[in-house]
Amino acid sequence: MAASFLNQIAFRAQKTMGMLGGSPSYDELENFPKPDVTSRMFQYTQDGRLFAHALPQCVRILHTETLLPLRELPIENAIEINFSPLGTFISTWERPLSLEDGSQHKNLRVWNVTTGEEELALTQKGQEGWDLQYTSSESHAVRQVGQEVQVFSPGDWSRGVVDKLRIEGMKSVALSPGPNPSIAVFIGEKKGAPASVRVYSMLTLASPPSSQKTFYKADRIVVKWNRLGTHVLFQTQTDVDKTNKSYYGESNLYMLTAAGTFDCRVTLDKEGPIHDFAWSPNSKEFFVIYGYMPAKATLFDQRVNPIHNFPMGPRNFVAFSPQGRLIAIAGFGNLSGSIDIYDRRTLNKVTLIEAPNTSWCEWSPDGRYLLTATLSPRLRVDNGIKIWHCTGTLLHVFNQDDLYQTTWRPAKSDSVPEFGQNLPQAPAPSASVVKTTAASPPPKALGAYRPPGARGTATPDVYKREDEGGAAWVPSSGATTPTKQPHQTNGHTGTNGHAARGRGGHRYVPGAPTPQPVEEKEKTSRRKKANKKKDANGAESPAAIDGAADDAVSAQPPVEALTKLSIEPEASRSEASPMEPVTPGGDGLDPVAKKIRSLTKKLKAIEELKDKAKRGEKMEMTQLRKMEGEAEVRKELESLMA
């Protein structure tokens, strides 16, 4: 099969759609019939033989090799389309409508691709999980309706539901690929009973499950079967972590075999969420990225034994190449967009690709190239496609405003040759790479922001990630929140050292002002009561006079504080009585002491300016005048100290 066939790329934007040819030029195919209106989505068959896209008036199906129209399905406003595994049928989904006659809107339809006839029409309100799930041979098709799994026979749709399975509490169903299909049914928690996943054989739905696993802490799950359909991994997720260790809830990973010979929880040795997991194409290994950043990346065998731990880093995405030879480990979303490529055979790192702002990443069918794209509305700027060789070379850049969707043209795995002992050499980049690099050279890696005072110095260990030599992340569980401070309550506190609630104790709230001591509250209350007891002539009662006296005593500064603030000579302080009243003022100092303190501050400021001048710093006119007045300030200070 020609390389150009394998490397074709389809794209869809707001105002256009089209296809790019293969290596080395990736030119846009001119014979692709571009629609005059915006296409809502497109889909390939699994073997890449057919291509369909939804238009407002119809669904158009093309032959991918000739790009000639095969047929148009007369369905308007289709939102979703999907081919069956062998490309025999295509399903379409419209938004559900309320019909005038009160009947249900048959918004899920199954069409025969060869004849163009409608084979089945059903009502499907939700868009999530809208399509039927087919076995690899298209012998069965299953659909979940409430608490029931309905089974259809695609060979004869007129028979309707040929088998069914009803389970109370059923939330989702996942059909396996492979020659011996099974379904994994997720049953949620209810009234204290644990959640569970049960595996049933498609040939004996009425029989008890061949395998099952029960667990708690599961609001929803993500199910992934291996290619042979013999093992299933499922990740459980909770919306809220009851231990308050994680804002994102709690997640766990489990494995089951379809035959019921093995089941376990995948033990992960780093605390934190599970970011991504994926099966290898050989169905015998799987990869998990987990833990608080920097995340760990571990390869396991089908008995859940760790094979290899890859270096930690800011990663949340993993993808095996279709042949399983290469592994892409990346960090997208709010991470930097770095992609590490590893060789599965040697477990060595092949290259590092920097692809910031990536929102879509996919291996080519032959495993030689990697496609990264920035799509809208995830990001509305710098939309476009980049093609990378597996050794890290950028081969092509295709910029397109408001790019919504892109993907490689699929191909059967047995039609693609495997790599040899060494990885293939990268071809020469296209002219678009040279043009893009010349117009806008790659930005210099700036790293994390550092304040001016910390630039040019080594990063302290406390600010380093774990993979950079810093300490491992430890959940605080609220440990950083200030604890309650004990307050005296009539000479005693609560049982745990805190003031008893309701008897004068106070609950400490971070950021709130310090609670007023109990003695101050009593004085304030006594003063308010005294003010109410004034007689008609304005004379104060004895209680009011006592309250005012207490306030005056409490307002007088301590003697020790006055001694520390005074800057008078030692001799003059020794002659004054410690209880001698001072002249009333804002801080308890007489005018002479205030003047001395002010002049001392001026001299200190002048000394700092003189130091700056010695270092060669540029001085302003006001600063120079202040330095010239040093002699006058010293003279005035000496006169006051005499």
Side-chain angles (χ1 to χ4, degrees):
M1 188 172 292
S4 59
F5 172 83
L6 295 174
N7 299 331
Q8 288 181 2
I9 301 167
F11 68 91
R12 179 178 63 90
Q14 182 180 18
K15 299 180 180 180
T16 184
M17 71 178 305
M19 287 186 181
L20 304 179
S23 177
S25 61
Y26 294 96
D27 293 330
E28 193 168 350
L29 301 181
E30 297 180 355
N31 58 338
F32 178 82
K34 292 188 176 182
D36 298 330
V37 293
T38 302
S39 178
R40 292 180 172 171
M41 78 158 308
F42 67 78
Q43 181 75 30
Y44 278 103
T45 55
Q46 292 186 8
D47 57 3
R49 178 173 51 91
L50 300 176
F51 175 86
H53 59 102
L55 300 173
Q57 303 85 9
C58 64
V59 173
R60 183 178 296 168
I61 304 176
L62 308 173
H63 287 286
T64 51
E65 292 190 15
T66 62
L67 296 180
L68 296 176
L70 173 64
R71 67 181 62 260
E72 292 185 353
L73 302 178
I75 178 171
E76 297 181 356
N77 301 319
I79 304 299
E80 297 281 357
I81 59 176
N82 193 30
F83 280 105
S84 61
L86 300 180
T88 309
F89 307 99
I90 183 172
S91 303
T92 61
W93 184 84
E94 313 160 63
R95 297 192 187 279
L97 301 175
S98 299
L99 302 180
E100 295 180 357
D101 58 358
S103 60
Q104 291 183 334
H105 180 212
K106 305 294 185 179
N107 61 325
L108 170 57
R109 307 184 193 183
V110 179
W111 308 79
N112 189 303
V113 174
T114 304
T115 64
E117 296 179 357
E118 182 180 302
E119 299 282 359
L120 185 67
L122 302 168
T123 299
Q124 174 66 33
K125 294 183 178 179
Q127 186 174 0
E128 183 179 357
W130 65 274
D131 194 16
L132 287 81
Q133 302 181 54
Y134 294 84
T135 59
S136 300
S137 61
E138 296 184 358
S139 60
H140 299 81
V142 302
R143 174 177 180 246
Q144 180 188 358
V145 182
Q147 309 293 305
E148 188 175 81
V149 178
Q150 298 178 350
V151 183
F152 298 85
S153 175
D156 188 0
W157 292 102
S158 60
R159 296 174 56 190
V161 178
V162 297
D163 200 357
K164 61 177 63 177
L165 174 67
R166 183 173 180 83
I167 301 176
E168 292 295 329
M170 181 191 308
K171 288 192 172 183
S172 64
V173 175
L175 178 63
S176 74
N180 300 310
S182 302
I183 59 171
V185 180
F186 170 51
I187 300 118
E189 299 181 46
K190 186 176 181 181
K191 297 182 179 179
S196 64
V197 167
R198 302 177 189 175
V199 178
Y200 295 85
S201 172
M202 280 298 302
L203 303 179
T204 56
L205 278 182
S207 302
S210 59
S211 180
Q212 64 178 348
K213 183 73 175 177
T214 59
F215 43 85
Y216 285 97
K217 302 177 182 179
D219 298 329
R220 60 186 183 276
I221 68 170
V222 178
V223 179
K224 294 184 180 180
W225 286 92
N226 64 354
R227 182 175 291 183
L228 296 177
T230 57
H231 294 67
V232 59
L233 286 169
F234 56 92
Q235 174 191 352
T236 63
Q237 180 75 33
T238 59
D239 295 325
V240 179
D241 182 10
K242 295 182 179 180
T243 62
N244 293 325
K245 292 183 179 180
S246 172
Y247 174 81
Y248 301 99
E250 185 175 350
S251 56
N252 294 289
L253 190 64
Y254 300 87
M255 174 186 279
L256 279 175
T257 59
T261 57
F262 180 78
D263 68 87
C264 74
R265 174 182 172 183
V266 180
T267 302
L268 304 176
D269 56 358
K270 183 176 175 63
E271 190 173 9
I274 297 171
H275 304 287
D276 196 12
F277 64 101
W279 279 102
S280 170
N282 62 18
S283 296
K284 299 178 180 179
E285 301 170 348
F286 64 93
F287 202 102
V288 187
I289 299 178
Y290 59 96
Y292 294 105
M293 294 296 167
K296 288 197 69 172
T298 303
L299 183 66
F300 295 86
D301 63 14
Q302 59 183 352
R303 303 296 292 184
V304 198
N305 299 314
I307 298 176
H308 183 71
N309 288 319
F310 293 81
M312 291 189 296
R315 303 288 182 260
N316 59 6
F317 171 87
V318 59
F320 284 87
S321 63
Q323 295 74 31
R325 175 67 182 272
L326 299 175
I327 309 173
I329 311 172
F332 299 136
N334 61 345
L335 301 179
S336 61
S338 300
I339 306 174
D340 289 324
I341 307 296
Y342 284 89
D343 189 341
R344 172 60 190 91
R345 184 172 297 180
T346 62
L347 295 175
N348 293 329
K349 184 175 178 178
V350 176
T351 186
L352 169 65
I353 297 174
E354 294 292 347
N357 300 329
T358 295
S359 53
W360 180 260
C361 181
E362 183 184 9
W363 283 102
S364 64
D366 60 0
R368 283 173 163 78
Y369 307 98
L370 195 68
L371 180 151
T372 62
T374 302
L375 303 180
S376 180
R378 174 65 177 84
L379 285 175
R380 298 187 181 274
V381 296
D382 298 332
N383 288 173
I385 301 169
K386 292 183 179 179
I387 308 299
W388 308 81
H389 192 257
C390 61
T391 56
T393 304
L394 179 61
L395 300 179
H396 185 70
V397 177
F398 177 74
N399 296 320
Q400 178 64 57
D401 295 337
D402 298 321
L403 182 65
Y404 290 151
Q405 184 182 3
T406 184
T407 188
W408 296 98
R409 178 184 180 182
K412 292 183 179 180
S413 58
D414 56 1
S415 63
V416 179
E418 295 186 359
F419 292 166
Q421 183 66 26
N422 299 321
L423 298 180
Q425 296 294 324
S430 66
S432 63
V433 176
V434 179
K435 182 178 178 181
T436 303
T437 305
S440 56
K444 182 180 178 181
L446 299 177
Y449 170 79
R450 303 194 71 182
R455 293 172 187 171
T457 60
T459 303
D461 291 343
V462 69
Y463 295 117
K464 291 182 179 179
R465 295 198 310 261
E466 188 174 351
D467 58 326
E468 297 175 341
W473 185 90
V474 178
S476 62
S477 300
T480 57
T481 303
T483 57
K484 298 179 180 179
Q485 301 296 327
H487 299 293
Q488 295 294 332
T489 309
N490 297 331
H492 69 279
T493 60
T495 56
N496 60 349
H498 300 287
R501 193 182 288 270
R503 298 186 63 183
H506 304 281
R507 182 170 63 90
Y508 179 77
V509 180
T514 305
Q516 191 178 9
V518 177
E519 293 79 359
E520 294 294 335
K521 283 190 173 182
E522 293 177 353
K523 294 175 184 178
T524 304
S525 177
R526 192 162 58 242
R527 183 171 66 252
K528 289 181 178 180
K529 291 180 180 179
N531 292 337
K532 294 180 179 180
K533 296 180 180 180
K534 290 184 179 180
D535 55 12
N537 296 330
E540 295 185 356
S541 63
I545 297 174
D546 293 341
D550 291 341
D551 292 343
V553 172
S554 61
Q556 184 175 350
V559 177
E560 295 81 4
L562 292 177
T563 305
K564 292 180 180 179
L565 289 174
S566 176
I567 58 173
E568 295 179 1
E570 188 67 26
S572 61
R573 287 205 304 268
S574 62
E575 296 175 359
S577 172
M579 297 303 295
E580 182 179 353
V582 298
T583 304
D587 53 3
L589 298 178
D590 57 34
V592 176
K594 283 186 177 182
K595 188 65 175 177
I596 293 175
R597 184 174 63 179
S598 176
L599 295 174
T600 304
K601 289 182 178 180
K602 288 183 179 180
L603 287 177
K604 184 177 180 181
I606 292 172
E607 292 296 333
E608 293 177 355
L609 293 176
K610 291 168 65 177
D611 293 338
K612 290 183 179 181
K614 292 179 180 179
R615 294 196 297 268
E617 296 185 13
K618 186 177 180 180
M619 309 297 292
E620 298 180 359
M621 291 299 299
T622 55
Q623 295 174 329
L624 294 175
R625 291 174 184 174
K626 185 179 292 187
M627 293 170 60
E628 293 173 356
E630 179 183 5
E632 297 180 0
V633 174
R634 291 190 179 277
K635 183 177 180 181
E636 186 176 359
L637 180 61
E638 291 175 357
S639 63
L640 292 175
M641 298 288 289

